[in-house]
Amino acid sequence: MNNYQQRGFFANVDWVTILLYLALCVIGWFNIHAAVYDENNPSLIDSSTQYGKQFIFIITGLVIGTVILLLESRFLSSLAPAMYVVTVLLLMVVLVAGHKVGGNQAWIDMGGGFRLQPSEFAKFATCLLLARYLSGTNVKVTDPVSFLIAGGIIFLPMLLIKLQPDDGSTLVFCSLIFVLYREGLSPYFLIVGGLLVTLFITSLIFNSWYVVIAIAIVATLIVLSIKRNRPLVFKIIIGAIISMAFVFAVKPLYNKGLKDHQRKRIDVVLGLTQDKKHVGYNQNQSKIAIGSGGLWGKGYLQGTQTKYAFVPEQSTDFIFCTIGEEWGFAGSVVVMGLYLFLLLRIILIAERQRAPFSRIYGYGVASIIFCHVLINIAMAIGLMPVIGIPLPFISYGGSSLWSFTILLFILLKLDSNRMGIIYA
C-alpha cells in the first residue's frame, strides 16, 4: 500500500469540486422555489411542489454520488460498453413508446408522476465509451478508421435524440469534438467548423452576392501575399470556391432543412424579424426579467416577472432569468463564476490523470457542462435561439440533476484513484 492509499478514501476525493457542486445545487433549489413559489405551500421541502421534489432529487443525487465514490474505478471502465448499449436501447424505446412533452417524445413514464429522460443519461454513457475506445491500444484520432469509430460512438445517440426530436441535447453531443481535439485531432476541423458557422450566419443576414464578393476579395489578398507558395495558393483557391458554393446553398438548406418554428427563432435572434408576442415572447420576457434586476437584483421572492409567471418554463430552461431578476448582475456573475471555476477545476483534474481513460473522460465532462452552460445562458439573454436545454445542477428536473451528478462523480472517483494502478 503506497502513501497515497494510506491517506484514506475521503482525503483522496477532490472536495473543492464537491463544494462547487453543492453550491450550484443549493442555488438551483432556492431559485426553483422563487420561480414557482406557491404561498399555499411555502415550505422548501414540500414534496407536492417542484422545489420540494428538487430537494428530494438533490438528496438522492448525493446518495448516487456517494455510491459511485465507493465503486472500484476499474468497474467504471469495464461497464462503459454495457451503459452505452442500455442508454441506446432506452433511446429506441422512447421513439416507440415515449411520453411526449412540448412536442418532444423524450421521456419514459415511470409512474407516480415521475418521468425518465434517457437522453440525459446518454451523455455520460457516451463519454465513458468514447474514453474507453480512445484509450485503447493503437487507437489514434488521426487514423481515419479510429476517427470514424469515435465519430460513430458520438453520432448514434445523437441520431436517436434528433429523431425525438430534441435539438438541444443533439447539439450538446457536438461539443465532444473538443475531446477529439485534445486527443490529437487537427485544429483545422475546429477552424473549418467555425468558418462554416460564420458563413451560415452572414449568408442569412446579408445578400449572398455580397458575401461571395467579400470571400473573393479576402482570398485574392491572401493569394497575392503568398503567391510563391503554389500548393498553399491552390488550397486557398479551392477553399474559396467551396465557400462560395456553400454561401449560395445556405438559404435553400435553411428554408427546406429547418422547421418553421426553428427558422422563426433564428430570425428573431439575428434581428431579421420582430415577433415579441409569439415566437420571441419567451426570450423577450426573459431579457426583461434579467434587465429589470439591475446591479443587485430585486431580492429573494421579490421578482415581479418571476412572481407573475411572465416567463414560461422559468424553473427549467429559463431558470437563469430568475437569478438575473432577483439577484441582479452581481448574482449572475457569481453563478457564472462558479461555473467557470468548476470547468477550470474539471480540466485541472483531467490533466493530472495518469490513465488516458480518465483524462479523456474528464474532457468529456468539461465539454458537456460547458456546452450546457453556454447555450442555456446565451438563450436566456437572447444571444442564441430558444433551445430546450437545462442549466446544469440548477434547472428543475431529476433526470437532469442525476445525470450531471453521475457525470461529475464518475470523474471524481477516477481522480481519487489516479495514483493507484493505471488502467486502460
Side-chain angles (χ1 to χ4, degrees), residues 91 95 154-164 170 173:
L91 290 172
L95 295 177
I154 299 170
F155 180 74
L156 179 57
M158 276 184 66
L159 175 63
L160 294 173
I161 292 170
K162 175 61 180 175
L163 293 175
Q164 293 177 359
T170 302
F173 280 81

Side-chain angles (χ1 to χ4, degrees), residues 236-252:
I236 291 172
I237 293 174
I238 295 299
I241 293 172
I242 294 174
S243 298
M244 292 175 185
F246 177 76
V247 168
F248 284 118
V250 165
K251 288 183 179 178

Side-chain angles (χ1 to χ4, degrees), residues 309-385:
F310 283 105
V311 185
E313 309 298 337
Q314 195 162 347
S315 65
T316 53
D317 299 342
F318 284 95
I319 190 69
F320 188 76
C321 73
T322 303
I323 297 171
E325 182 178 24
E326 298 201 346
W327 303 106
F329 178 76
S332 300
V333 169
V334 169
V335 171
M336 289 189 288
L338 288 172
Y339 277 121
L340 178 60
F341 193 12
L342 176 64
L343 287 167
L344 291 175
R345 192 71 189 178
I346 291 171
I347 292 173
L348 172 65
I349 290 172
E351 285 296 334
R352 72 189 183 192
Q353 300 307 304
R354 301 174 67 192
F357 172 82
S358 303
R359 182 188 68 246
I360 297 167
Y361 179 78
Y363 271 91
V365 175
S367 299
I368 295 291
I369 293 178
F370 170 74
C371 188
H372 267 270
V373 173
L374 176 66
I375 293 175
N376 183 279
I377 294 179
M379 176 187 71
I381 62 178
L383 295 181
M384 286 189 69

Side-chain angles (χ1 to χ4, degrees), residues 218-229 232-233 236:
V218 172
T220 300
L221 292 174
I222 294 175
V223 167
L224 291 175
S225 65
I226 57 170
K227 55 186 176 181
R228 293 182 181 180
N229 190 336
L232 184 56
V233 167
I236 291 172

Side-chain angles (χ1 to χ4, degrees), residues 14 17 68-69 73 76 128 342 345-353 357-366 369 405-418 423:
D14 192 285
T17 303
I68 292 172
L69 292 177
S73 297
L76 296 170
L128 278 172
L342 176 64
R345 192 71 189 178
I346 291 171
I347 292 173
L348 172 65
I349 290 172
E351 285 296 334
R352 72 189 183 192
Q353 300 307 304
F357 172 82
S358 303
R359 182 188 68 246
I360 297 167
Y361 179 78
Y363 271 91
V365 175
I369 293 178
T405 298
I406 295 170
L407 184 76
L408 182 62
F409 274 74
I410 286 176
L411 177 62
L412 293 175
K413 175 56 187 177
L414 295 174
D415 178 62
S416 70
N417 193 52
R418 69 181 183 276
Y423 47 89

Side-chain angles (χ1 to χ4, degrees), residues 157-314:
M158 276 184 66
L159 175 63
L160 294 173
I161 292 170
K162 175 61 180 175
L163 293 175
Q164 293 177 359
D166 184 350
D167 296 324
S169 293
T170 302
L171 187 59
V172 167
F173 280 81
C174 295
S175 68
L176 294 177
I177 188 70
F178 293 111
V179 178
L180 303 182
Y181 171 69
R182 171 61 182 81
E183 293 307 305
L185 185 67
S186 172
Y188 287 113
F189 283 88
L190 297 178
I191 295 171
V192 170
L195 287 174
L196 289 176
V197 172
T198 303
L199 286 175
F200 179 82
I201 294 173
T202 53
S203 298
L204 292 178
I205 298 175
F206 303 104
N207 184 287
S208 299
W209 282 106
Y210 295 160
V211 181
V212 166
I213 291 171
I215 292 172
I217 292 173
V218 172
T220 300
L221 292 174
I222 294 175
V223 167
L224 291 175
S225 65
I226 57 170
K227 55 186 176 181
R228 293 182 181 180
N229 190 336
R230 291 186 178 181
L232 184 56
V233 167
F234 178 74
K235 291 179 181 179
I236 291 172
I237 293 174
I238 295 299
I241 293 172
I242 294 174
S243 298
M244 292 175 185
F246 177 76
V247 168
F248 284 118
V250 165
K251 288 183 179 178
L253 290 173
Y254 180 68
N255 292 325
K256 295 180 179 179
L258 296 179
K259 295 179 180 179
D260 185 57
H261 72 277
Q262 293 172 326
R263 292 195 302 273
K264 287 180 178 179
R265 288 174 179 177
I266 295 174
D267 289 344
V268 168
V269 171
L270 296 179
L272 300 176
T273 60
Q274 297 291 327
D275 189 4
K276 295 182 179 180
K277 293 184 178 180
H278 299 96
V279 174
Y281 176 80
N282 291 13
Q283 204 162 52
N284 182 58
Q285 292 299 321
S286 175
K287 290 190 288 184
I288 291 173
I290 293 171
S292 67
L295 179 59
W296 301 110
K298 297 175 181 178
Y300 187 54
L301 299 179
Q302 300 303 310
T304 52
Q305 291 290 111
T306 296
K307 184 182 295 184
Y308 297 111
F310 283 105
V311 185
E313 309 298 337
Q314 195 162 347

